[in-house]
Amino acid sequence: MQVSEVMHKGVSTVQIHDSIKKVAALMKREDIGSVPVYKNERPVGFVTDRDIVVSCVAHGHATDDPISHAMTRDIVFVHESDDIMMATRLMRENQISRLLVVNESEQPVGMLTLQDLTKYSNDENLKAETITEIKR
């Protein structure tokens, strides 16, 4: 099964100099927990709602500070044509529960979550093993 068959289509992105407040408002409005961070047309990081709390709020950053204070600079992505087992492996290896999905031109086209992967697997042992590996 390909990533494109189980992913959430469409993805919101933010720019590296967008404020923490602007990104948090986008997450609330779109009801999403993560967004890739871009510098112009190039992905440079990833930020989750948890990153905002742990990296910004807990350290006293102002909401007008740039989102770069909260983002993770490593961005892991998968191509929409990749097999879901490859996506599962990437999540396990990187201890992450969300992946940016890109097309052949490496433009963002969607997101793939751990829940998306487990929803389409009939193997209960694989589901439990995958969740345990990622969430350890």
Side-chain angles (χ1 to χ4, degrees), residues 44-63:
V44 294
F46 202 77
V47 67
T48 67
D49 47 6
R50 184 178 188 280
D51 293 332
I52 290 173
V53 172
V54 172
S55 298
C56 293
V57 176
H59 288 112
H61 285 285
T63 58

Side-chain angles (χ1 to χ4, degrees), residues 85-102:
M85 292 310 291
M86 180 181 165
T88 301
R89 183 179 51 77
L90 281 172
M91 286 182 177
R92 283 180 175 176
E93 288 173 357
N94 293 282
Q95 299 271 294
I96 56 176
S97 58
R98 300 172 175 108
L99 288 170
L100 175 65
V101 180
V102 298

